[in-house]
Amino acid sequence: MPPTTAEASLAAMRAAVLGDAVLGDAPPADAAAAAEPSGDIGDFIEAAGLLSYDPAAITRIYAGHPQRLLRRLWQTLVPIGLYLLAVASDRLSGALRQPERARARARECAALLADLGPAFIKAGQALSTRPDIVPPVLLEELARLQDQLPAFPSDLAMACIEEDLGATVAELYGQLDAEPISAASLGQVYRGSLPDGRPVAVKVQRPGLREQITLDLYIVRNIAVWLMANIGLIRSDLVALIDELGKRVFEEMDYFNEASNAERFAALHAHNHRIAVPAIHRSHTSRRVLTMEWIDGVKLTRLDAVKALGVDPEELVEVGVNCSLQQLLEHGFFHADPHPGNLLALADGRLAYLDFGMMSEVARESRNGLIRAVVHLVNRDFDKLSKDFVTLGFLSEEVDLRPIVPAFETVFSQALEAGVSRMDFKAVTDDLSGVMYRFPFRVPPYYALIIRSLITLEGIALSVDRDFKILGAAYPYFARRLLEDDDPDLRRSLREMLFDGDHFRWSRLENLVLSAANQQQLDLEQLLDQTLDFLFSPGGGLLRQQLVDAAVERVDAAGWRLLLTLGRQLPRQLRPPGLQRPLRGAGGRDPLLDLEPVRELLRILRQLPGFEVGLLTRRLPRLLREPDLRRMGLDLARGLAERGVVRLVRDVMVEPDLRRELDIAQPA
């Protein structure tokens, strides 16, 4: 839609007001201090010294020195106000009800945030993961918000390196490019080498960044305080959202923190020969300068270039998906920003992760809660699924879940028709965003980053394979975790998935086992051990009872067939009444291997690659040591004894005709 004259005027006014608001041309700290009036020098320097996000300290800095604050307010609130007036005008005229107009205003909002600088870019990115606050159309546009700004002058970058590392660039590096290879909102990257020739990437923070960020956070936080106090329609805690954003941005601005993240990530995935992480050079790293190993590779989304390396892009996508799921469900420490620029395909077939500024952690309770939610989703138990959202912190305990349950059923039922492995993750999250916007949901920060990470990963994978489904790729890993992990919570979740009341669902076990078999890391030995652990755990009581009942029935049937066979060998006058005329249908299959649990388990195991009977026979000594196996033997003997007494009285000592009459009158 072409811009109107009024829109063009609004854009021109906004550009004039913003002026030097974008930090791309910000002067170095000493030059900025010299240019500032004396009342601003103290707050500028004090803000530069803040090493962690502290709202009270930021308030003290700027509340007493209003000059810089007023200028920044003019640069931000005027264009924001002009934009809100335009949106209000569209709403009053009804134009906002047109999808094209709503989309255009959403794009304009994203562009405005990009113009306002780093803090607003980060705020927009944070809001792009908050369906409880932002309507769906704006959510999509904010998700496309680019984290890019013009590069700042390289002489300022070199001055920052020398100031922080205490030596000249020539002493620190054998070579360093004069121009950056990339620039983003927080810093820019140069290619170079150490004096010994090792290639490195050097990330240098924008000058004046911490001061600009603290000022913008102060402004945005106070706007959030006013909105919470005066706009009753806002359900979510905007102040808490800004504080979470501030905490994460300060973590990103501390390159010591990013260096530690990279080292921790590398240690957690050291066993995975398909994952590469650049080594950190601590001697050449400070809070504003990060020197790391240079890694040659191509973006995973550049399919032709990846194939030219002799690497299969689909295989690398699978490596990335498995690594992301391991980060999320196993380690609880995950890369929250896996965009195409941060994932490189290497010539040796490895997938390299870059940029560890935005990482997040998920507590074990939350990880298990996510798996429980998937179990309830697969089981279509939407009532329990709604309670999972309470446990995970999306809903308060006071919220009435009754209207939410049918909303979940509407969102998920159709998507589940083709099975969880074919579910369209993006479509489901979009529909779920609508539910979260209508009901009093509060999206936890860790969940927002998880969704952002998975949607980004799915977007990369779709560029490689148009039919890719993130949940389909995730399900084998999920199945393996559910089968192999001995965590009590996951044991209970496995039991809940496999049992429908007292009935064991063999089809679900088969689906889990065969899905887990798609994982290259599947350990058959461990899987069998975990299966035995489950069988002899408190949660396996129903399955053990089913096994005993089936054994009693089959052994009793086999004994009856043997008795009939022996009875036919006796002279007729010596046969008991019940054996005078053998019943039809006395034949049957081999009793022990015909036990449903044994038969079904063997059928499933035989489908696994690498399975052989020796895997089972080697576990016989362990089986014989199980106390529950001895109890099962006693239950089997007791059941057979009871059946034997019934057989003796009903089937052996009673005439067949009379027995049939009794069976009709009162079935056994």
Side-chain angles (χ1 to χ4, degrees):
M1 181 181 294
T4 64
T5 303
E7 288 172 331
S9 300
L10 187 152
M13 185 181 299
R14 188 178 77 200
V17 169
L18 284 170
D20 63 348
V22 174
L23 203 57
D25 298 320
D30 54 351
E36 294 284 350
S38 59
D40 283 350
I41 294 176
D43 62 317
F44 194 89
I45 295 174
E46 191 174 353
L50 282 177
L51 300 182
S52 60
Y53 178 67
D54 185 345
I58 293 173
T59 300
R60 280 197 309 273
I61 291 171
Y62 292 111
H65 301 284
Q67 297 94 329
R68 184 175 172 83
L69 173 62
L70 290 173
R71 184 166 63 254
R72 186 58 176 157
L73 281 171
W74 172 259
Q75 293 170 338
T76 55
L77 294 188
V78 171
I80 290 173
L82 291 171
Y83 170 76
L84 292 177
L85 282 174
V87 172
S89 174
D90 282 352
R91 181 181 289 276
L92 289 174
S93 66
L96 207 59
R97 287 194 290 270
Q98 300 173 9
E100 297 84 1
R101 173 65 69 178
R103 178 72 62 182
R105 289 302 185 196
R107 288 197 191 101
E108 189 178 352
C109 178
L112 173 60
L113 293 176
D115 288 343
L116 289 174
F120 288 89
I121 291 174
K122 293 298 181 184
Q125 291 175 339
L127 287 172
S128 73
T129 61
R130 295 304 298 258
D132 54 330
I133 300 175
V134 179
V137 65
L138 181 55
L139 205 70
E140 292 180 19
E141 293 304 321
L142 291 179
R144 298 189 181 100
L145 191 63
Q146 294 298 307
D147 187 11
Q148 292 288 333
L149 283 177
F152 61 87
S154 289
D155 58 339
L156 301 183
M158 301 305 147
C160 178
I161 291 174
E162 293 182 350
E163 180 183 345
D164 275 31
L165 300 183
T168 66
V169 170
E171 292 171 328
L172 292 164
Y173 301 100
Q175 179 270 330
L176 197 63
D177 289 352
E179 296 300 324
I181 59 169
S182 65
S185 61
L186 301 188
Q188 56 198 39
V189 178
Y190 294 83
R191 182 172 184 172
S193 63
L194 296 177
D196 61 9
R198 285 177 293 172
V200 292
V202 183
K203 183 190 289 190
V204 185
Q205 197 167 105
R206 288 182 176 272
L209 176 68
R210 197 172 297 266
E211 301 81 354
Q212 177 87 44
I213 290 284
T214 54
L215 180 56
D216 284 349
L217 286 172
Y218 176 71
I219 292 170
V220 174
R221 192 177 192 275
N222 279 281
I223 292 173
V225 170
W226 184 88
L227 289 173
M228 293 292 293
N230 295 280
I231 308 298
L233 295 176
I234 297 178
R235 299 187 304 261
S236 297
D237 190 342
L238 292 181
V239 176
L241 175 63
I242 298 302
D243 286 342
E244 177 68 25
L245 170 67
K247 178 184 174 184
R248 293 198 175 277
V249 171
F250 265 75
E251 288 176 353
E252 278 195 81
M253 288 191 294
D254 185 347
Y255 288 168
F256 279 142
N257 183 63
E258 182 172 345
S260 297
N261 286 341
E263 290 168 343
R264 180 180 175 188
F265 189 92
L268 288 172
H269 299 277
H271 67 284
N272 191 341
H273 67 280
R274 299 300 303 275
I275 299 297
V277 179
I280 302 299
H281 297 286
R282 286 280 184 173
S283 60
H284 289 63
T285 295
S286 70
R287 293 196 185 278
R288 296 188 300 165
V289 179
L290 176 62
T291 303
M292 69 192 87
E293 173 190 4
W294 176 269
I295 292 185
D296 275 312
V298 298
K299 289 184 180 180
L300 193 53
T301 50
R302 294 177 55 200
L303 299 186
D304 291 340
V306 173
K307 291 176 182 176
L309 294 174
V311 177
D312 182 357
E314 291 188 20
E315 186 180 334
L316 270 193
V317 165
E318 183 181 351
V319 171
V321 169
N322 287 334
C323 181
S324 293
L325 293 167
Q326 189 176 44
Q327 295 169 45
L328 174 60
L329 297 177
E330 192 168 327
H331 302 314
F333 181 69
F334 69 95
H335 196 297
D337 193 23
H339 64 69
N342 289 339
L343 291 174
L344 300 181
L346 307 188
D348 60 7
R350 291 183 298 165
L351 179 67
Y353 279 79
L354 307 177
D355 194 347
F356 297 90
M358 188 179 293
M359 305 293 291
S360 188
E361 297 196 55
V362 183
R364 187 173 187 86
E365 295 77 14
S366 297
R367 302 201 301 270
N368 290 346
L370 288 170
I371 292 179
R372 281 198 303 273
V374 173
V375 168
H376 295 147
L377 178 63
V378 171
N379 288 355
R380 299 173 185 258
D381 193 337
F382 301 114
D383 182 62
K384 287 184 178 178
L385 183 63
S386 67
K387 294 173 183 174
D388 290 332
F389 275 76
V390 175
T391 304
L392 290 168
F394 290 81
L395 295 164
S396 68
E397 294 183 358
E398 294 76 27
V399 171
D400 183 5
L401 299 178
R402 286 174 295 180
I404 295 176
V405 173
F408 278 166
E409 189 169 0
T410 301
V411 168
F412 293 116
S413 288
Q414 186 173 356
L416 284 168
E417 288 301 322
V420 67
S421 63
R422 301 303 302 166
M423 187 183 293
D424 189 327
F425 183 69
K426 180 66 168 61
V428 169
T429 52
D430 286 347
D431 291 341
L432 191 57
S433 296
V435 173
M436 290 184 175
Y437 190 65
R438 293 199 313 270
F439 294 100
F441 280 82
R442 301 171 304 181
V443 178
Y446 74 87
Y447 173 81
L449 290 173
I450 288 171
I451 293 299
R452 169 180 172 165
S453 176
L454 292 180
I455 288 179
T456 303
L457 192 64
E458 184 173 54
I460 295 172
L462 285 170
S463 69
V464 176
D465 177 7
R466 292 182 180 179
D467 296 325
F468 179 84
K469 303 293 182 188
I470 188 71
L471 290 178
Y475 196 68
Y477 185 90
F478 163 80
R480 184 169 69 86
R481 277 295 313 282
L482 205 56
L483 288 168
E484 291 184 356
D485 201 306
D486 58 0
D487 182 274
D489 281 346
L490 297 187
R491 296 290 91 198
R492 285 191 290 271
S493 295
L494 178 61
R495 180 187 182 283
E496 192 171 348
M497 173 172 273
L498 297 180
F499 280 95
D500 185 3
D502 290 345
H503 180 63
F504 189 84
R505 300 290 297 272
W506 288 103
S507 61
R508 286 184 182 170
L509 178 63
E510 180 176 11
N511 186 29
L512 276 179
V513 171
L514 295 183
S515 294
N518 291 328
Q519 282 273 299
Q520 293 180 355
Q521 305 97 321
L522 179 68
D523 186 336
L524 272 179
E525 299 269 1
Q526 185 178 3
L527 175 60
L528 289 173
D529 287 335
Q530 292 290 358
T531 302
L532 293 177
D533 287 343
F534 174 68
L535 176 63
F536 293 107
S537 70
L542 281 175
L543 184 56
R544 291 196 300 274
Q545 189 58 51
Q546 278 196 342
L547 192 60
V548 169
D549 291 344
V552 168
E553 182 179 344
R554 294 289 191 258
V555 173
D556 172 67
W560 177 239
R561 286 197 297 273
L562 177 62
L563 188 60
L564 289 175
T565 301
L566 293 175
R568 283 196 295 269
Q569 308 303 316
L570 294 173
R572 178 174 292 276
Q573 61 271 23
L574 297 179
R575 296 179 191 173
L579 301 182
Q580 293 293 332
R581 280 190 306 177
L583 296 179
R584 293 179 181 178
R589 294 169 290 187
D590 292 336
L592 293 178
L593 290 182
D594 197 40
L595 300 179
E596 183 189 20
V598 175
R599 185 180 70 247
E600 289 293 333
L601 189 58
L602 284 174
R603 181 181 64 80
I604 293 170
L605 291 176
R606 282 172 180 148
Q607 299 178 65
L608 297 179
F611 174 77
E612 44 99 8
V613 178
L615 290 172
L616 294 177
T617 57
R618 286 198 294 272
R619 280 157 179 78
L620 285 177
R622 179 216 162 147
L623 277 173
L624 296 175
R625 291 195 301 269
E626 287 286 350
D628 278 315
L629 184 65
R630 291 191 286 274
R631 281 190 282 271
M632 290 172 68
L634 291 174
D635 290 341
L636 175 63
R638 187 181 301 111
L640 288 174
E642 292 172 355
R643 286 290 189 103
V645 171
V646 171
R647 285 282 189 194
L648 179 65
V649 174
R650 188 193 66 180
D651 297 334
V652 177
M653 305 307 298
V654 177
E655 292 282 355
D657 292 338
L658 179 59
R659 180 169 69 242
R660 282 195 292 273
E661 291 176 9
L662 291 173
D663 287 342
I664 294 171
Q666 185 177 356

